[in-house]
Structures are given as C-alpha cells and as structure tokens.
Amino acid sequence: MASSAAGSKKPFNFLKWAKSRKGQQTLIIIGFSIIPLILLFTFTYYPFAEMAKFSFYDRNYTKVRGFVGLKNYADVFGRSDIFKSLFLSLYYMGGAVVQLALALYLATVFCFGVKGGNFFKGCMFFPYLINGIAIGFIFKFFYTRGFVLDTVLQWIGFDLESLPFWLRDTSINNVSLVGTSVWKYFGQNMVLFVGAMMSVDATLYEAADLDGANKWQQFKYIMLPSIKTIVMLNLIMAITGSLDRKSVV
C-alpha cells in the first residue's frame, strides 16, 4: 500500500510551480537578488580580487611585469612616509568626532526650541553648500599672518609675535585644516540629526515632561536611542571621509 502511494505521487512540474503564487514569489526574490549580486561582484569583488593579485607583481611598466611575492608588502611596511601619511588621518578622525558631537549638541538644542532656530540652522548649513575652492581661498586669508584670525586673537590680548604660522608651521597646520573641515561639514550632520529627531513621536516628550524628566534625561532615554542608527551612520561616513582627505605634511 505504501508502494502504491509512492507510485501515485505526481512528478514535480516546474511550469505549474512557476505559475503558482509561491513559485512567482520565489522567482521574483531570486531575480531581484541576482541583479544586485552581479553588479556587486562585477564592480566590487572582482576589482578587489584583481588589485589583490596585482599587489604580488612588479607594477613597473617600463619592463616586463613579474611575480615578486611579498616584496611589495615588505617595501610598504618598511617606508615610514606611508605610515606618516596614515598618522595624519588621525587628525581628521579626531575632527570627525568633534564635528559629530557639535552637530548632535546643536541639533538637540534646536529640536527643544530656540527663537530664530530656522535662521541659525540655515547659517550653519550654508558652509556645506560653498565650493571647496572658495573655502580654500577664504581660509587662506583667514589663517594668513596678521589677517583675520591673528587680528581677533590680538584683540583678546595675544601678542602677534607669539602666534604660530597657522599654515606654515607643521606642528599646527593639520589642526588648522581640521578646523576648516569641521566648519564646513558639521552643518550637514546637524541637519541630518535634526531630521531624525523630528521623526520621534512628540507624545514621548510630553509623557516625559509629565513624569518630571529634564531635557538631558529626554535626550538620553528618548532621543538618542531613537536616532542611534543615524548617529552610527554619520560616524562611519565621517571616519571614512577622514581617511580620504589629504593633509599637509
């Protein structure tokens, strides 16, 4: 009887399965997954594998390319100038943390209500819209000896002769450039934080006010957990960008 039941079982019909609801759902999922996977492999994994392969070859195009093994890696790790360039990126990583902290603080202040908040948000976001070349000219004069920054510091009481050359002195020039980067980009992060904070349900703040929670407690227990995904995304983007920026040696 069991053998007759097994013999009466119909064979799998692919066309009938493909026309069914379950089959169409499966085919759509596979189809939509294959396209991005092909693009990901073509433009990400395959170039990465080729670059990894090239690292084991002599890339001097004036002669025949040959396999050199780990010689290129030994040369890289033996050159101090390469690690010095990587060390300079730490300035921008530190600036990225300051930039995000400042943006998060100001976004929180604006979300809790500030008179003229829209005007100030526009002013802080405006530097992000300025062309990078224009910013370079602006801060060239801003940091030039005896110009804007030095003049303001002299008003405070600093002696001009005791002030460093902000762009010439190698001990301070990267800090000056990081300050410029923070000025340009923190407005963008602030706007993103404000948008995320405004999406939080307002009734949560009202309930917190009724329970006697202050602004810091509302930020810590309501606002920050609600926007932690945006905070982490901005942090990753800022650190990634800090590795791409070039600084003055």
Side-chain angles (χ1 to χ4, degrees), residues 115-184:
K115 188 175 182 180
N118 291 331
F119 171 77
F120 289 112
K121 281 188 285 187
C123 292
M124 294 177 185
F125 182 73
F126 180 73
Y128 178 72
L129 303 177
I130 301 177
N131 183 271
I133 298 176
I135 291 180
F137 280 109
I138 291 171
F139 279 90
K140 176 184 177 183
F141 290 103
F142 181 79
Y143 287 126
T144 299
R145 184 71 164 183
F147 277 54
V148 180
L149 180 58
D150 288 349
T151 301
V152 173
L153 293 177
Q154 288 181 81
W155 290 347
I156 298 175
F158 287 90
D159 183 22
L160 179 61
E161 298 300 326
S162 64
L163 296 176
F165 288 88
W166 303 102
L167 297 178
R168 186 191 306 177
D169 190 347
T170 56
S171 64
I172 198 67
N173 58 0
N174 287 291
V175 177
S176 303
L177 296 176
V178 168
T180 304
S181 177
V182 171
W183 178 82
K184 176 176 172 60

Side-chain angles (χ1 to χ4, degrees), residues 7-247:
S8 63
K9 185 177 181 181
K10 296 181 179 180
F12 177 75
N13 191 328
F14 177 78
L15 293 177
K16 185 177 180 180
W17 175 81
K19 292 179 180 180
S20 65
R21 181 181 180 85
K22 183 178 180 181
Q24 290 179 357
Q25 289 178 344
T26 304
L27 292 176
I28 290 174
I29 292 172
I30 294 174
F32 277 92
S33 300
I34 287 176
I35 295 175
L37 287 175
I38 292 175
L39 294 175
L40 181 65
F41 174 81
T42 304
F43 297 104
T44 302
Y45 294 136
Y46 178 72
F48 177 79
E50 286 295 307
M51 292 300 297
K53 184 181 73 173
F54 290 160
S55 67
F56 297 102
Y57 286 83
D58 183 7
R59 302 304 298 172
N60 188 351
Y61 292 96
T62 60
K63 60 182 180 180
V64 178
R65 184 178 65 189
F67 181 79
V68 295
L70 298 176
K71 180 178 180 300
N72 292 327
Y73 289 95
D75 292 340
V76 168
F77 286 100
R79 292 174 55 183
S80 61
D81 55 334
I82 295 179
F83 284 94
K84 186 177 181 181
S85 176
L86 181 62
F87 174 76
L88 293 177
S89 298
L90 296 177
Y91 284 98
Y92 288 96
M93 288 185 185
V97 175
V98 174
Q99 170 185 315
L100 291 177
L102 181 62
L104 186 60
Y105 171 75
L106 292 174
T108 305
V109 171
F110 288 133
C111 280
F112 284 128
V114 174
K115 188 175 182 180
N118 291 331
F119 171 77
F120 289 112
K121 281 188 285 187
C123 292
M124 294 177 185
F125 182 73
F126 180 73
Y128 178 72
L129 303 177
I130 301 177
N131 183 271
I133 298 176
I135 291 180
F137 280 109
I138 291 171
F139 279 90
K140 176 184 177 183
F141 290 103
F142 181 79
Y143 287 126
T144 299
R145 184 71 164 183
F147 277 54
V148 180
L149 180 58
D150 288 349
T151 301
V152 173
L153 293 177
Q154 288 181 81
W155 290 347
I156 298 175
F158 287 90
D159 183 22
L160 179 61
E161 298 300 326
S162 64
L163 296 176
F165 288 88
W166 303 102
L167 297 178
R168 186 191 306 177
D169 190 347
T170 56
S171 64
I172 198 67
N173 58 0
N174 287 291
V175 177
S176 303
L177 296 176
V178 168
T180 304
S181 177
V182 171
W183 178 82
K184 176 176 172 60
Y185 291 103
F186 90 92
Q188 176 204 21
N189 297 125
M190 183 194 68
V191 171
L192 293 175
F193 288 147
V194 169
M197 292 174 180
M198 295 298 291
S199 65
V200 180
D201 190 358
T203 58
L204 296 176
Y205 299 120
E206 296 175 1
D209 283 329
L210 294 176
D211 290 337
N214 55 32
K215 298 300 182 184
W216 164 249
Q217 292 171 333
Q218 293 179 29
F219 169 79
K220 182 179 179 181
Y221 296 107
I222 298 177
M223 187 176 293
L224 188 59
S226 301
I227 65 169
K228 62 181 180 181
T229 302
I230 303 298
V231 173
M232 291 303 300
L233 177 62
N234 278 312
L235 180 61
I236 294 173
M237 293 176 61
I239 293 177
T240 304
S242 68
L243 296 175
D244 293 336
R245 293 170 194 163
K246 299 294 187 293
S247 36

